[in-house]
Amino acid sequence: MVEIKMKMTPEAFALWRPDENDNGPFTDPVDHLDRVLVHSEFNNFVRGPFATTPVTHPAVAGVAASVSPTSGGFLVSGQLVVTRHNVLAHNLGYPPRFSIAVDGEVLSSGWLIQQVGNRGRIVYFSSNSTHIIVTGVGGSDENALPAIAKTYSVVAYRNIAAEAEAPQFKITPDRLIAGQGKLDTNERHMRVALGSESPLYIPGGSLVDVSGGAFRTVTPKGTVLDQPGYNGSFSPSASSVQVTV
Amino acid sequence: MTFDRYKFDAGQVIMEDDTGHRVIDTTAPSLNLIPAAKIDKTAGNALNIVFPNFIYAAPQYEYFSGATGGGPPFQERCTTYVMLPGQEWGPDAGGAYALPDVLVGTLPAGTDLIDLFGSLTHTNQPDQIFGQNIIPLQTTVAGEKISFFGGDVMLEFFGIIKRFAVVFQSGQNVYLRRKQSVASGLHRIKTIADKYQGDVFYQTQAPPFPFYDVHYRHHQGGPDACSLAGSIDLSSTWQFDFEVTPINYQDQ
């Protein structure tokens, strides 16, 4: 059986796996990460506002080849169109950390979501003090890039600071608060998913490559999407992590 | 008083909320952010990441002359171009194409993942290619932040040209890796010179016209040939203004 130690003092609260009954993980958690489970000096991805938001990325009209005045006599076709979509109104008053998932897979910043021949669309994500935003960059050639619908599962993560007047540990039948409010059973935060839970897959490392002037993306579950011309052999070296929020 | 939402025994700690969701379950650990060990590359510590100019092939010269019905030429044109061959740059590329990884900082032992939070600014943009910009994919709007796992950042996009960076963990170090790639082939990307002359007057002679004598005015080596001296600067600089925060989740 794995032993777990819990300790609270006026200064800190922690759960850890003891090693010869030492207090190192409690007094110096950063140097004992491999054994600390919970510590009031740490932060968590505490779930704030969240939503599942459908977005229809608009079609990008094709543009017939023509000689651009600045093209040096070359035929230029197609266009790039940038569109921004607010996918969550969080109103936290600051730009928060966030995660954006499609089909249960958390995407990194800049992701190829559509490729039709030489036409494609990349999305990237940002937050401001009121919203989480998906920005799509769609490119056509002489033919249009079709519209595409995506459903984004968006979570904004709240900044939680210790409250000086709050206790290090308080337990009632309904609620447990520790670490001066940093751990609160009324709040959800990101943790590894149990087998019975529907997981969210987050990247364990890099999932993008470029070669042959083209991107390859591999989703956290392993779906590969290449742009035409990709000539590398990239596969992710790190496994994704299955979490719940 | 009952405490059936909490369990502290048998090597397992469970704390549930009022829906039965396990907020804490030590068999499914929380993803702990370690703020005391974050690598702060914000403001004055921001990283300026340079993607170098590409390596070009010799300029390409194109010449044509026009004639009808076997008669004398009446027009000619020369055009020269900056030529960009396919190429791959990155940490594993050799010689001039090598882009060594940039050390960002160090992490405490036991770090399982890294969290990235900050902004990106495109501080030096490449020259245009035939009047078209290399599209920056990620320039962060003022007041906005990007937040992501995995470390991948697609940066630039232009048909044949792509650039991207990845911030990654290797042991206890964090590095920033750059890669830039040009599609295979040989691409004309800038006109150096373009000269055209119609209504060329050739000295009156009876056919056959002495080819070398009447034109080649714009031909390479001719008296009014197009220049072969051209350049383009597609180097690019991005400012990475961000925090790298270690994450530990007790991977068992």
Side-chain angles (χ1 to χ4, degrees), chain B residues 146-157:
Chain B
I146 59 173
S147 166
F148 55 105
F149 300 96
D152 295 306
V153 189
M154 289 182 175
L155 291 172
E156 295 176 32
F157 177 98

Side-chain angles (χ1 to χ4, degrees), chain B residues 10-252:
Chain B
Q12 185 179 26
V13 174
I14 296 172
M15 303 174 185
E16 294 181 350
D17 67 12
D18 58 4
T19 70
H21 174 78
R22 294 182 178 183
V23 177
I24 294 289
D25 182 334
T26 53
T27 67
S30 303
L31 274 71
N32 294 312
L33 285 156
I34 321 298
K38 78 178 178 188
I39 301 167
D40 186 353
K41 292 295 178 185
T42 61
N45 295 323
L47 294 174
N48 287 302
I49 300 299
V50 176
F51 288 84
N53 199 4
F54 293 104
I55 294 175
Y56 301 93
Q60 212 168 70
Y61 193 98
E62 186 176 80
Y63 172 85
F64 83 91
S65 60
T68 56
F74 59 86
Q75 62 177 10
E76 60 179 346
R77 182 170 201 151
C78 67
T79 313
T80 50
Y81 303 96
V82 174
M83 301 302 296
L84 179 62
Q87 53 199 277
E88 306 294 338
W89 298 62
D92 301 325
Y97 299 96
L99 292 176
D101 293 334
V102 177
L103 180 64
V104 177
T106 58
L107 301 164
T111 300
D112 295 316
L113 294 173
I114 53 175
D115 165 79
L116 295 152
F117 184 70
S119 61
L120 291 167
T121 309
H122 202 189
T123 54
N124 176 44
Q125 300 182 16
D127 289 350
Q128 290 186 325
I129 296 176
F130 288 136
Q132 309 288 310
N133 287 321
I134 293 180
I135 301 298
L137 293 172
Q138 293 276 346
T139 296
T140 313
V141 173
E144 294 186 1
K145 299 287 186 185
I146 59 173
S147 166
F148 55 105
F149 300 96
D152 295 306
V153 189
M154 289 182 175
L155 291 172
E156 295 176 32
F157 177 98
F158 179 95
I160 57 170
I161 294 173
K162 305 288 187 300
R163 282 181 166 129
F164 105 108
V166 56
V167 182
F168 68 99
Q169 180 186 354
S170 177
Q172 286 183 245
N173 290 328
V174 174
Y175 294 95
L176 187 148
R177 174 166 294 172
R178 298 162 289 167
K179 293 187 86 172
Q180 61 182 21
S181 175
V182 179
S184 57
L186 190 57
H187 313 280
R188 297 174 175 180
I189 58 167
K190 179 184 178 183
T191 304
I192 298 172
D194 184 30
K195 293 183 177 178
Y196 170 79
Q197 186 159 358
D199 300 325
V200 176
F201 176 79
Y202 296 92
Q203 58 198 26
T204 305
Q205 271 185 269
F209 299 101
F211 184 70
Y212 61 91
D213 197 25
V214 294
H215 62 316
Y216 275 9
R217 182 172 175 171
H218 290 328
H219 192 277
Q220 188 173 1
D224 194 17
C226 286
S227 172
L228 286 170
S231 64
I232 188 169
D233 184 356
L234 296 179
S235 64
S236 181
T237 306
W238 288 82
Q239 185 177 78
F240 281 68
D241 188 300
F242 66 120
E243 297 174 353
V244 182
T245 306
I247 297 172
N248 173 264
Y249 62 95
Q250 287 290 316
D251 192 11
Q252 297 175 74

Side-chain angles (χ1 to χ4, degrees), chain A residues 1-2 4 6 13 15 17 30 33-38 41-45 68 70-72 74 76 80 84 95-99 106 108-112 122 124-129 133 137 171-176 183-185 187-194 197 202-215 217 227 231 241 243-244, chain B residues 1-3 5-6 8 10-13 15-17 19 21-37 81 88 108-111 113 115 117 130-132 135 137-139 141 143-157 159-164 166 179-184 188 191 243 245 247-250 252:
Chain A
M1 183 176 69
V2 178
I4 294 175
M6 181 168 73
F13 167 83
L15 292 171
R17 296 195 185 95
V30 175
L33 290 184
D34 56 337
R35 291 195 285 127
V36 182
L37 292 156
V38 175
E41 283 190 16
F42 296 166
N43 292 334
N44 290 110
F45 292 92
S68 159
T70 53
S71 73
F74 272 70
V76 175
L80 280 168
R84 284 164 62 90
R97 284 182 167 79
F98 58 87
S99 61
V106 173
S108 191
S109 193
W111 201 259
L112 184 62
I122 285 168
Y124 62 94
F125 315 122
S126 56
S127 67
N128 61 24
S129 60
I133 302 132
V137 182
I171 188 168
T172 69
D174 298 326
R175 188 176 185 186
L176 185 149
L183 171 63
D184 185 336
T185 55
E187 308 273 7
R188 287 196 181 190
H189 60 257
M190 190 185 292
R191 62 161 172 75
V192 171
L194 293 162
E197 295 170 325
I202 63 172
S206 177
L207 296 175
V208 176
D209 187 37
V210 65
S211 185
F215 285 120
T217 58
Q227 293 186 308
N231 59 8
V241 183
V243 303
T244 187
Chain B
M1 180 181 290
T2 60
F3 292 85
R5 289 186 186 172
Y6 318 113
F8 301 88
Q12 185 179 26
V13 174
M15 303 174 185
E16 294 181 350
D17 67 12
T19 70
H21 174 78
R22 294 182 178 183
V23 177
I24 294 289
D25 182 334
T26 53
T27 67
S30 303
L31 274 71
N32 294 312
L33 285 156
I34 321 298
Y81 303 96
E88 306 294 338
T111 300
L113 294 173
D115 165 79
F117 184 70
F130 288 136
Q132 309 288 310
I135 301 298
L137 293 172
Q138 293 276 346
T139 296
V141 173
E144 294 186 1
K145 299 287 186 185
I146 59 173
S147 166
F148 55 105
F149 300 96
D152 295 306
V153 189
M154 289 182 175
L155 291 172
E156 295 176 32
F157 177 98
I160 57 170
I161 294 173
K162 305 288 187 300
R163 282 181 166 129
F164 105 108
V166 56
K179 293 187 86 172
Q180 61 182 21
S181 175
V182 179
S184 57
R188 297 174 175 180
T191 304
E243 297 174 353
T245 306
I247 297 172
N248 173 264
Y249 62 95
Q250 287 290 316
Q252 297 175 74

Side-chain angles (χ1 to χ4, degrees), chain A:
Chain A
M1 183 176 69
V2 178
E3 187 182 354
I4 294 175
K5 193 166 184 177
M6 181 168 73
K7 182 174 181 176
M8 67 215 74
T9 69
E11 290 75 35
F13 167 83
L15 292 171
W16 74 95
R17 296 195 185 95
D19 180 3
E20 299 175 358
N21 253 351
D22 68 334
N23 274 332
F26 182 77
T27 56
D28 189 4
V30 175
D31 282 343
H32 298 84
L33 290 184
D34 56 337
R35 291 195 285 127
V36 182
L37 292 156
V38 175
H39 200 290
S40 53
E41 283 190 16
F42 296 166
N43 292 334
N44 290 110
F45 292 92
V46 176
R47 189 177 74 176
F50 61 99
T52 299
T53 306
V55 170
T56 299
H57 295 278
V60 179
V63 177
S66 61
V67 179
S68 159
T70 53
S71 73
F74 272 70
L75 296 173
V76 175
S77 66
Q79 59 177 333
L80 280 168
V81 174
V82 178
T83 50
R84 284 164 62 90
H85 309 268
N86 287 330
V87 290
L88 173 67
H90 61 75
N91 293 311
L92 291 171
Y94 54 86
R97 284 182 167 79
F98 58 87
S99 61
I100 295 187
V102 174
D103 297 330
E105 300 178 283
V106 173
L107 304 182
S108 191
S109 193
W111 201 259
L112 184 62
I113 59 162
Q114 185 182 18
Q115 191 71 40
V116 183
N118 289 317
R119 294 155 276 150
R121 191 183 319 262
I122 285 168
V123 291
Y124 62 94
F125 315 122
S126 56
S127 67
N128 61 24
S129 60
T130 58
H131 289 85
I132 309 294
I133 302 132
V134 171
T135 301
V137 182
S140 64
D141 52 20
E142 63 274 15
N143 297 308
L145 176 71
I148 189 169
K150 290 286 178 184
T151 299
Y152 295 99
S153 298
V154 190
V155 182
Y157 298 101
R158 294 169 49 216
N159 296 341
I160 301 289
E163 298 172 25
E165 303 303 317
Q168 277 296 345
F169 192 80
K170 179 182 178 182
I171 188 168
T172 69
D174 298 326
R175 188 176 185 186
L176 185 149
I177 300 175
Q180 294 181 303
K182 293 182 77 174
L183 171 63
D184 185 336
T185 55
N186 274 5
E187 308 273 7
R188 287 196 181 190
H189 60 257
M190 190 185 292
R191 62 161 172 75
V192 171
L194 293 162
S196 57
E197 295 170 325
S198 179
L200 201 58
Y201 287 71
I202 63 172
S206 177
L207 296 175
V208 176
D209 187 37
V210 65
S211 185
F215 285 120
R216 161 174 285 186
T217 58
V218 184
T219 70
K221 290 181 188 174
T223 304
V224 177
L225 183 57
D226 290 345
Q227 293 186 308
Y230 177 78
N231 59 8
S233 57
F234 171 78
S235 64
S237 58
S239 300
S240 57
V241 183
Q242 297 178 40
V243 303
T244 187
V245 181

